[in-house]
Amino acid sequence: MINTRKKQQEFFELSKIRRRFVLLILLSLFFALFSRAIYVQGIKKDFYQKEAKDRSDRTIKLHAYRGKIIDRNNNVFAVSTPIEEITVNPSILVITAKQKNKLAGLLSLSRGELERRLQKKKEFVYLNRQLSPKKAAQVMALNIPGISSKKKYKRFYPAKEISAHLVGFTGIDGDGLEGIEYFSNKLLAGEPGKTRILKDISGRIVDKIQDVKIPRDGQDIQLSIDKRLQYTAYRALEKAVEKHAAISGSAILLDAKSGEILAMTNYPSYNPNTKLKSKDFLRNRVITDIFEPGSTIKPISVSAALESKSIMPHSIIDTTARYYKVGRHIVRDTHDHGKISVAEVIQKSSNIGAIIIGDKVESKYLWNTLNNFGLGKKTKVSFPGEVTGTLKHYKNWRKTDHESATFGYGMSTTLIQLAHSYTVFANEGKIKKVSLLKTEGPSIGRRVISIKTSNQMLKMLESVVKDGTAEHARVNGYRVAGKTGTSKKLGPDGKYEDTYIGSFVGIAPVSMPKFVIAVMIDAPSEGSYYGGNVAGPVFSTLMAEALKIYSIPQDGFLEIDKQKRETKPDSII
Amino acid sequence: MRLNLTLYIILIFFAMATVNSEHQYRNNFSQLDVEKKTMLELKDEKTKLEVEESDKSGNQRIQTIALEKLKMYTPNKKEIKVIR
């Protein structure tokens, strides 16, 4: 009995030790867990929160590439190139004086300007928004805490001033501000996307959680422009404007069969790659500026007379009157041409002859013809800022308006409208729709005058270049047709000034018309101001180049021993 | 008991397979992201080359080389021979 009790006591004593031992272990484990909880949630709280944030999902913006603008032969006119945006967080910036010197040099900032930016009490300051990737890498190699770099894209225009008016430019945020960049901004820009991703601690994207918005890259735009002809047109204009000390010059070259614009340029121009752009020369004056076309309209009014059978090509017009009174204005010819044929009225550019012929046509018929040639309405070319020009409705015409219209006064046109109207003579009486975008093959035209009248007019226009007022517009080896125009400029007070606009519109080769070119020189002040003399050489240079580049067979005689002849002046009021 | 053990082993096996496949997926996705970045870099490189090509084939440059380096000029009247 005693023995049994002793055994029980020993058992309980042993058990008590075990229980305490187990309890101690459990308490130790609980303490360890509790300590770990305090460590994780208290002491290392910031570290773990940062780790969690790094691993958590985030929404990132996906870049959409802006489309390129290219010419008809895939030459680049506008393209987005990578640049780096350098920013600083001055609140965490740690920088030495030596680093400041290096940084200022790389960022092209003065030391004072850099200091001013670094001392701003903000968390985000731009240091340079358009730094080359090479220089940005050098900046980042300085390892300055607080300075960061972000990849962006900047528009670059390799053709510089040659295509500036056409292509336009974008602002610092990448949106188009002028030209095609502005007109087709939505198409070019595309749409940036968004996606939710999961990153690991080393910054690698390990999973895509959801596509919030799929990015859509911008589309490339292929223009109808031929860069080679654009260059030739610009250089020829530059030469003419400088030679005659003119305010500006504009030129447009159309493919007569398709209506495509192969060149459209203005001088002076600007470099779209630089920040400073003169506001005076931002407009594409071929499309936005209007002027009184003058004698270049005569072939259209004569077409109306021929088409209505009011006259015949061999009809004789008596222009012996030294002047003709149109309203308050006296209209003269430069010479007394006497009795001349209709063809000679065009060839000699007789204002009196044009008025006499125009008087034989009803106002409604004349207005309809002018309107059908595209005057007084937009060409609807894909370009911003196109103006309509003015062509008063025939119901509101007085006799003066009717007579003025026959020789291109009392109305206004743009250069593109003028070139557009001459596609009628180049297409046997059909007008073609103009296009700034590349098209395939010839386009369907709308008949304006009969084939017979159109051919008669083309012949008359050829005589202008052959024996008339446009000798300087000749192209060696080719038959050329065209018409000069010299009109007085209207001043701000509505009165005519002693400054002129010299213009020329022409077609070549006459046997199978391929190109139509219109050239306008604004206010030539040195040498001649006649359209044939100032705009004719630009036409000749550009047409010769176009015919050569497109391998158009010659249809005329080579004038190897061409003698310098005096150009006959065009008629002006 | 034996069935439970078998099911337990199968469960462990599929759990490991799931973890492995998730790991593989993340590795592949990360690789895809790297390749996408490479594609964008190549696209930028292509743009740079296009600009360079445009610069090299510029009319102004060609004209300067033709006139100054190659001494090219427009033939005068005496140098033109007409073949009939």
Side-chain angles (χ1 to χ4, degrees):
Chain A
M1 184 71 185
I2 295 167
N3 216 0
T4 311
R5 286 188 68 180
K6 196 179 176 180
K7 274 182 182 175
Q8 273 183 341
Q9 197 178 352
E10 278 175 2
F11 172 79
F12 282 114
E13 275 175 10
L14 191 63
S15 177
K16 201 176 173 183
I17 292 166
R18 280 179 181 169
R19 280 205 316 272
R20 282 176 182 172
F21 180 70
V22 169
L23 190 65
L24 189 68
I25 288 171
L26 285 173
L27 281 172
S28 302
L29 285 172
F30 180 75
F31 180 74
L33 283 172
F34 189 72
S35 305
R36 183 71 185 161
I38 290 171
Y39 178 77
V40 170
Q41 293 181 26
I43 300 165
K44 297 287 276 183
K45 182 183 143 197
D46 292 340
F47 172 77
Y48 284 110
Q49 274 184 349
K50 187 178 172 295
E51 290 293 297
K53 201 180 170 189
D54 283 343
R55 284 170 184 272
S56 67
D57 64 304
R58 61 181 63 185
T59 303
I60 57 165
K61 202 178 168 187
L62 299 173
H63 175 74
Y65 278 86
R66 191 173 175 88
K68 287 182 288 190
I69 300 175
I70 52 177
D71 85 337
R72 63 187 303 108
N73 302 313
N74 298 321
N75 289 305
V76 177
F77 271 147
V79 68
S80 296
T81 53
I83 45 135
E84 296 286 333
E85 194 175 73
I86 308 292
T87 55
V88 63
N89 182 352
S91 62
I92 58 163
L93 181 74
V94 183
I95 188 167
T96 63
K98 200 178 168 186
Q99 283 176 325
K100 275 183 189 172
N101 284 335
K102 278 189 180 175
L103 191 62
L106 287 167
L107 297 172
S108 308
L109 291 173
S110 66
R111 182 70 196 262
E113 177 60 22
L114 180 68
E115 286 286 358
R116 196 182 63 76
R117 291 190 193 189
L118 296 182
Q119 281 165 9
K120 280 188 179 174
K121 286 176 182 171
K122 288 180 181 175
E123 289 193 347
F124 181 86
V125 178
Y126 285 115
L127 289 179
N128 191 319
R129 295 188 74 177
Q130 295 184 347
L131 197 65
S132 72
K134 199 177 166 185
K135 278 195 175 176
Q138 287 176 295
V139 169
M140 296 317 289
L142 293 172
N143 280 325
I144 304 167
I147 286 186
S148 53
S149 160
K150 194 178 174 188
K151 191 178 184 180
K152 293 253 168 167
Y153 286 86
K154 184 199 172 191
R155 276 312 236 193
F156 179 65
Y157 305 95
K160 297 171 191 164
E161 49 278 286
I162 307 290
S163 63
H165 292 115
L166 188 70
V167 177
F169 56 88
T170 57
I172 200 143
D173 55 355
D175 283 331
L177 299 178
E178 286 283 340
I180 294 291
E181 290 274 31
Y182 172 75
F183 190 81
S184 304
N185 189 49
K186 210 173 172 186
L187 204 65
L188 284 163
E191 275 183 73
K194 273 181 187 173
T195 190
R196 277 178 68 207
I197 45 96
L198 191 68
K199 275 187 170 183
D200 70 1
I201 189 76
S202 58
R204 292 185 312 161
I205 296 172
V206 290
D207 199 0
K208 181 165 70 178
I209 299 165
Q210 184 195 5
D211 272 327
V212 181
K213 194 179 175 187
I214 296 167
R216 183 176 57 78
D217 283 347
Q219 287 180 36
D220 289 350
I221 290 183
Q222 186 161 36
L223 301 179
S224 57
I225 299 291
D226 187 320
K227 195 180 165 191
R228 297 165 295 180
L229 296 175
Q230 183 78 3
Y231 173 81
T232 308
Y234 182 80
R235 290 291 171 225
L237 271 181
E238 181 184 24
K239 199 175 162 189
V241 170
E242 297 296 334
K243 185 182 172 188
H244 298 285
I247 292 176
S248 68
S250 305
I252 180 169
L253 163 58
L254 297 180
D255 182 315
K257 299 296 167 204
S258 64
E260 288 173 294
I261 301 170
L262 299 178
M264 179 162 64
T265 189
N266 303 278
Y267 181 84
S269 184
Y270 60 90
N271 185 352
N273 296 308
T274 56
K275 277 183 189 171
L276 293 167
K277 296 173 187 92
S278 167
K279 284 183 182 173
D280 297 336
F281 299 110
L282 285 183
R283 299 188 317 274
N284 185 351
R285 294 181 291 280
V286 174
I287 283 173
T288 61
D289 283 17
I290 51 170
F291 63 100
E292 280 185 308
S295 299
T296 48
I297 292 299
K298 284 173 189 165
I300 301 174
S301 55
V302 171
S303 296
L306 286 171
E307 196 72 357
S308 65
K309 306 211 185 311
S310 310
I311 50 158
M312 301 300 280
H314 53 264
S315 303
I316 297 297
I317 312 294
D318 186 2
T319 65
T320 42
R322 294 290 292 172
Y323 64 89
Y324 205 98
K325 207 170 176 199
V326 177
R328 290 180 289 115
H329 302 285
I330 303 291
V331 179
R332 297 176 199 278
D333 281 338
T334 49
H335 299 95
D336 179 3
H337 300 303
K339 289 180 180 176
I340 52 175
S341 68
V342 174
E344 284 172 313
V345 168
I346 294 293
Q347 186 190 327
K348 296 175 192 301
S349 197
S350 166
N351 293 323
I352 295 173
I355 294 169
I356 295 168
I357 293 170
D359 274 345
K360 295 177 190 295
V361 188
E362 275 181 44
S363 291
K364 185 182 175 182
Y365 199 89
L366 180 62
W367 184 88
N368 269 332
T369 307
L370 290 166
N371 194 246
N372 282 336
F373 269 76
L375 303 174
K377 55 187 176 191
K378 290 181 181 176
T379 61
K380 292 181 182 168
V381 69
S382 320
F383 201 85
E386 188 186 9
V387 294
T388 315
T390 50
L391 178 64
K392 217 192 274 184
H393 196 270
Y394 70 91
K395 284 180 181 169
N396 303 321
W397 272 3
R398 288 171 297 169
K399 193 170 184 290
T400 322
D401 297 314
H402 180 108
E403 286 172 342
S404 303
T406 60
F407 57 95
Y409 274 80
M411 64 166 80
S412 63
T413 64
T414 57
L415 199 64
I416 193 172
Q417 283 177 331
L418 212 51
H420 184 213
S421 67
Y422 271 60
T423 60
V424 174
F425 304 125
N427 289 294
E428 297 190 313
K430 284 183 178 176
I431 194 163
K432 299 276 178 161
K433 192 177 181 333
V434 291
S435 171
L436 194 49
L437 303 176
K438 191 181 178 185
T439 57
E440 295 299 330
S443 64
I444 300 165
R446 175 174 56 82
R447 181 153 298 285
V448 174
I449 53 173
S450 66
I451 298 173
K452 192 182 163 192
T453 308
S454 174
N455 289 340
Q456 284 168 344
M457 285 313 304
L458 200 60
K459 213 172 165 186
M460 289 183 209
L461 291 172
E462 191 181 0
S463 72
V464 175
V465 180
K466 211 171 167 186
D467 304 305
T469 55
E471 202 176 337
H472 290 289
R474 288 178 188 168
V475 178
N476 206 6
Y478 291 92
R479 290 169 61 199
V480 175
K483 185 73 192 81
T484 55
T486 309
S487 54
K488 280 193 167 187
K489 279 183 80 173
L490 272 173
D493 55 354
K495 289 181 181 172
Y496 286 109
E497 295 176 340
D498 277 336
T499 48
Y500 300 87
I501 287 178
S503 56
F504 183 80
V505 193
I507 300 160
V510 171
S511 57
M512 198 181 280
K514 172 67 180 164
F515 301 114
V516 176
I517 296 176
V519 182
M520 186 265 273
I521 306 291
D522 186 8
S525 59
E526 272 179 27
S528 176
Y529 54 79
Y530 291 112
N533 291 5
V534 294
V538 178
F539 169 90
S540 176
T541 308
L542 183 55
M543 186 60 91
E545 191 70 8
L547 293 164
K548 188 178 79 184
I549 287 175
Y550 283 82
S551 305
I552 307 297
Q554 293 184 349
D555 64 344
F557 293 107
L558 276 171
E559 289 184 52
I560 296 169
D561 299 315
K562 195 170 102 179
Q563 296 294 312
K564 197 181 174 185
R565 278 171 284 188
E566 198 184 320
T567 304
K568 297 170 185 74
D570 185 32
S571 294
I572 51 162
I573 291 177
Chain B
M1 181 66 185
R2 190 172 286 174
L3 180 68
N4 281 348
L5 191 66
T6 311
L7 287 173
Y8 183 73
I9 290 166
I10 291 170
L11 178 73
I12 295 293
F13 176 77
F14 279 107
M16 293 300 283
T18 308
V19 169
N20 185 52
S21 104
E22 180 70 12
H23 177 69
Q24 282 293 326
Y25 167 76
R26 288 189 171 187
N27 262 347
N28 290 341
F29 192 88
S30 174
Q31 189 62 33
L32 176 71
D33 186 57
V34 169
E35 296 301 332
K36 274 183 180 170
K37 278 178 183 158
T38 310
M39 187 187 80
L40 295 180
E41 277 167 18
L42 288 172
K43 209 171 175 178
D44 288 344
E45 189 65 29
K46 186 185 166 221
T47 305
K48 272 188 211 168
L49 291 171
E50 277 174 347
V51 170
E52 201 178 320
E53 187 204 1
S54 176
D55 189 43
K56 292 269 190 277
S57 63
N59 302 62
Q60 180 74 61
R61 185 173 174 270
I62 291 170
Q63 195 175 333
T64 310
I65 290 173
L67 290 172
E68 291 171 13
K69 203 175 170 185
L70 303 174
K71 309 286 179 199
M72 292 171 86
Y73 63 95
T74 310
N76 59 40
K77 290 169 200 168
K78 284 180 186 171
E79 288 171 307
I80 297 174
K81 297 262 186 289
V82 182
I83 301 162
R84 295 181 197 279

